[in-house]
Amino acid sequence: MATNHKLSKTTFMYGCQCPKRLYLHKFRDDLRNPEDEFQQSVFNAGIFVGDLARKLFDGGVDATPPDSFSYQKAIEQTQKFIEAGETIIYEAAFQFEGVMCALDILVKRGEQWYGYEVKSGLSVKEQHVKDAALQYYIITNSGLPMADISITHLNKDYVRQGEIDVAQLFLHESILKGVLAEQDFVANKIKELKGVLELSDAPLIDIGRHCYDPYACDFTEHCWAHIPSKNSVFELRKGAGFKLYAEGFKHLDEIPADYELPTVPALQLEFYRSGGERLEAEPIKEYISTFPYPMFFLDFETFMPGIPEFEGTRPYQQLPFQFSLHVKRSPEAELEHYEFLGDGINDPREELKDQLIKLLEDSGSIVCYQVAFEKTRMRELAEAFPDSKQALTSIQERMVDLMYPFQKRWYYHQAFNGGYSIKVVLPTLVPELSYTSLNIREGGTASLTYSQLRYQEPEVIAQQRSDLLAYCKLDTLAMVRILEKLNSMVESALKAGGALNEK
Ligand code: SF4
C-alpha cells in the first residue's frame, strides 16, 4: 500500500508561488482569509468544464477517490486500472518521492500513454506548464513513460450551434517541450518544499507581487496586517506601492517630499498631502454641452458563461442580461426610470435589445460611464441580430461618456485616490447615494448572482432579482446625480473665474 504523501500538485503550486503559503496552508488554517464566494464559483465552473471534457474521451474508468482523505486509494486504483489494460483513466493518480498528483485524463494509444490536463480558460498559461511539469515528473518517475502531455482548454473561436459540440469546444495544446525544460526545476523544488514542511515556524517571506500572482493567496489578511488600512503606499496606482514598500515606506506620510513618482501616483500623493480638489470648468462645460436632451442614462450588467449556454455564443462571451435606464427629457422634467432583467434561464439578449431600441427612441444622448463597454456590447448585439443592426449602430453613435472628465482629470479630488470609476467618484460627489446598503454592490457579484439564479429556490430568486434591479438602478441614478453635481460645480467655478484649485 502506498504511504501518505507530503506534497500534492496543489500544495506544490502553493509552494512555487510562496513557500510561506505552503507552510500556512499545511499548519495554520486558522490564519486563512474568510472564504471568497467568487473564487468558489470559479472553482465550481472548473469542475463543470472538467466533466464535459471527459466526453472527448468517452468510456473511461474513474479513479477519483471517494473523499479528499483517500488519495492513496486513488493511486492504488489507478495501478489496478493500468494492469487491467484500461486505456482511458480519469483522475489517474500517482505518487513518487512522497509527492502525489492526479491527472485529469490519461489515455493509451497503441503502447504509448498521453496526458490531458483540463483548464477552464481560453489559453495555456505559464503556471499550467509548471503544474503539468510536476505531473509529468511524478508519472514518468513512478514507472509510466508518457509520449506527450497537453493542456485541454476552451476554444475562444467556438460558436455554439445547437447542442454543444465538445470536439469543437475544446482545443488540445501539447506542452511537452516546456514540461521537459522544467524537470530539473521540479526535482529541486520538491526538495526545497519538503524542507519547508520540516520547519518549526513559517518561513520569513515578506509580502510582494507574489501575493496575487499567479493566484490570489488566501493568507493576505494575515501577512498584510502590518500595512496601514488607510493611506498606505499600496493605495498609489500603477504599482508604485511595491517599490516604495521595498524601500521601507508603508504610510503615505512617510514618503519624502522630493521622492519622484510617475504622473498618476504623483498626483494622488500631491492631493493626499494638500487635501484638495481641482476643477477645470471650461473643458468640462464644453464636453458636457455636447450631451443633447433627452438624456438617456444607460447601464448594462453582463455575465460570461465559460460553456456557451445560448445559440450563436462563444465561451466567455459577455452577454448583457440586464439594463437600467433613467431618462431626463429636459432640465426641468421629472426623472423617468425603465429596466429589464432576463429570466435567468433563456437567452436574454433579444428581448433586452428590442426593449432598448424602443426606449432609446431616435434622438438624444445616451449617457454611459466607461462607454467603450456599452458600445462593444451594442456591436455584439448588432452582430447577433443583423435585422437590428441599423438601430443598434445609431444607438452607439449617440453614446457619450460621463467618465471622460474624470479620466482627463478635469475634475479630481483627493478622495479619488488616483481612480475615476463610478464607485470612486460617487461617494465624493454625491455622498447621499451609496452602494453600501445594497445586497449587491459591484458588477462581479451581479454577474455571479444572475448566472446562478436558475438553481435557487423561488423565494431566493425573488430576493435576488430585486437585489439585481436595485444595484443596476443605482448605477444609472448615480450618473444622473454626478452629472447634475458636475454641472453645478462648473457653473459656480465659471462665476468665480473658471477654475477651482483648492488645497
Ligand atoms: S500573503 Fe503573500 S507572503 Fe503571505 S503567504 Fe500569501 S503569498 Fe506568501
Side-chain angles (χ1 to χ4, degrees):
M1 178 164 169
T3 51
N4 274 342
H5 59 279
K6 283 184 184 306
L7 287 167
S8 66
K9 181 165 72 86
T10 303
T11 52
F12 174 82
M13 291 306 286
Y14 287 167
C16 287
Q17 178 176 359
C18 171
K20 187 176 177 184
R21 182 178 188 188
L22 167 66
Y23 188 94
L24 296 178
H25 172 82
K26 280 275 190 183
F27 305 116
R28 296 301 308 269
D29 200 46
D30 55 311
L31 300 178
R32 197 183 296 279
N33 298 347
E35 197 168 301
D36 180 336
E37 196 188 341
F38 189 70
Q39 281 304 323
Q40 188 58 39
S41 81
V42 171
F43 181 68
N44 293 344
I47 294 174
F48 185 53
V49 170
D51 287 347
L52 199 59
R54 288 186 180 187
K55 293 196 174 146
L56 291 164
F57 303 94
D58 246 345
V61 290
D62 193 350
T64 304
D67 57 63
S68 57
F69 303 104
S70 309
Y71 276 109
Q72 300 308 320
K73 280 191 191 149
I75 293 164
E76 288 160 22
Q77 185 62 62
T78 302
Q79 283 311 311
K80 284 184 194 156
F81 284 150
I82 291 171
E83 286 158 20
E86 296 290 351
T87 55
I88 300 172
I89 305 172
Y90 309 130
E91 292 298 320
F94 297 85
Q95 182 166 314
F96 178 67
E97 292 177 341
V99 188
M100 74 81 56
C101 72
L103 180 74
D104 287 329
I105 304 167
L106 181 67
V107 177
K108 191 175 188 188
R109 292 194 200 97
E111 288 310 304
Q112 308 267 40
W113 287 97
Y114 297 80
Y116 299 89
E117 184 65 9
V118 181
K119 300 293 175 192
S120 55
L122 298 170
S123 61
V124 175
K125 307 264 179 352
E126 197 185 322
Q127 62 268 25
H128 297 159
V129 177
K130 205 162 271 168
D131 172 299
L134 177 78
Q135 293 169 312
Y136 183 90
Y137 180 85
I138 305 291
I139 296 171
T140 54
N141 280 302
S142 59
L144 192 83
M146 293 182 81
D148 198 4
I149 185 160
S150 301
I151 297 295
T152 297
H153 60 81
L154 293 170
N155 172 7
K156 68 177 170 42
D157 296 322
Y158 170 72
V159 178
R160 180 169 184 163
Q161 308 288 349
E163 287 304 304
I164 288 280
D165 179 348
V166 281
Q168 298 299 318
L169 175 65
F170 290 100
L171 291 175
H172 304 298
E173 220 171 299
S174 170
I175 50 164
L176 183 63
K177 203 167 155 213
V179 158
L180 290 175
E182 294 282 359
Q183 292 304 288
D184 285 347
F185 165 83
V186 170
N188 292 330
K189 200 72 181 172
I190 289 173
K191 280 196 200 93
E192 179 197 325
L193 297 180
K194 281 183 181 169
V196 170
L197 296 180
E198 300 298 321
L199 296 174
S200 55
D201 206 348
L204 293 174
I205 293 173
D206 207 352
I207 59 169
R209 290 182 196 276
H210 58 273
C211 299
Y212 297 96
D213 184 21
Y215 305 105
C217 177
D218 41 3
F219 291 97
T220 46
E221 287 189 12
H222 167 67
C223 295
W224 287 65
H226 62 299
I227 301 300
S229 57
K230 270 199 88 163
N231 303 323
S232 89
V233 293
F234 291 102
E235 288 182 14
L236 295 177
R237 304 266 159 171
K238 308 283 178 197
F242 286 109
K243 184 166 178 285
L244 282 157
Y245 178 73
E247 292 171 29
F249 308 113
K250 293 207 261 303
H251 196 282
L252 294 177
D253 290 342
E254 296 166 7
I255 303 173
D258 59 351
Y259 194 95
E260 287 201 13
L261 283 165
T263 315
V264 173
L267 181 75
Q268 260 181 283
L269 190 58
E270 181 193 333
F271 278 84
Y272 165 73
R273 285 177 171 147
S274 62
E277 61 183 325
R278 177 175 80 187
L279 180 136
E280 293 177 49
E282 289 293 350
I284 298 177
K285 187 176 171 67
E286 199 176 313
Y287 179 68
I288 58 185
S289 68
T290 62
F291 297 6
Y293 283 97
M295 286 188 194
F296 299 89
F297 297 83
L298 174 67
D299 184 57
F300 284 137
E301 297 304 326
T302 61
F303 75 128
M304 302 164 58
I307 310 291
E309 289 181 12
F310 309 120
E311 188 73 4
T313 60
R314 295 183 305 279
Y316 295 110
Q317 182 173 337
Q318 296 238 27
L319 303 172
F321 62 84
Q322 175 177 18
F323 70 75
S324 169
L325 180 70
H326 275 95
V327 183
K328 189 92 174 149
R329 297 194 179 275
S330 71
E332 300 75 29
E334 287 285 311
L335 198 56
E336 299 165 33
H337 182 245
Y338 305 92
E339 59 195 357
F340 170 84
L341 176 59
D343 63 8
I345 298 166
N346 298 298
D347 188 346
R349 293 174 302 159
E350 185 160 16
E351 198 185 338
L352 176 144
K353 173 260 313 175
D354 287 342
Q355 289 206 26
L356 260 187
I357 291 172
K358 194 164 125 232
L359 289 165
L360 290 173
E361 302 169 5
D362 295 328
S363 62
S365 47
I366 300 166
V367 184
C368 305
Y369 206 96
Q370 196 175 8
V371 75
F373 179 81
E374 266 74 17
K375 280 193 173 178
T376 308
R377 303 293 80 80
M378 282 294 172
R379 261 199 302 280
E380 288 164 350
L381 285 172
E383 272 168 34
F385 303 101
D387 290 352
S388 302
K389 187 171 181 179
Q390 202 181 348
L392 292 166
T393 306
S394 101
I395 287 173
Q396 272 181 66
E397 287 162 1
R398 290 162 51 205
M399 284 179 160
V400 291
D401 198 349
L402 183 58
M403 186 174 81
Y404 195 65
F406 302 102
Q407 190 179 19
K408 296 295 284 181
R409 318 252 181 230
W410 291 333
Y411 178 73
Y412 183 79
H413 190 283
Q414 172 229 334
F416 291 179
N417 265 339
Y420 44 80
S421 74
I422 198 162
K423 305 283 188 302
V424 165
V425 169
L426 185 69
T428 302
L429 289 196
V430 195
E432 62 275 20
L433 275 190
S434 167
Y435 289 87
T436 51
S437 62
L438 300 181
N439 288 330
I440 294 175
R441 293 176 210 137
E442 44 80 42
T445 313
S447 172
L448 179 61
T449 304
Y450 183 77
S451 62
Q452 296 184 349
L453 209 52
R454 72 182 71 176
Y455 308 113
Q456 311 293 348
E457 297 297 322
E459 61 279 14
V460 178
I461 292 177
Q463 178 60 52
Q464 294 191 335
R465 289 184 66 82
S466 146
D467 293 341
L468 284 164
L469 291 170
Y471 169 68
C472 200
K473 184 178 183 181
L474 184 55
D475 269 345
T476 49
L477 184 60
M479 282 194 266
V480 174
R481 300 293 178 235
I482 287 170
L483 183 58
E484 286 170 0
K485 180 74 182 181
L486 210 49
N487 265 319
S488 83
M489 289 193 305
V490 165
E491 290 311 317
S492 308
L494 285 174
K495 274 187 203 140
L500 167 73
N501 203 348
E502 280 180 7
K503 291 188 181 174

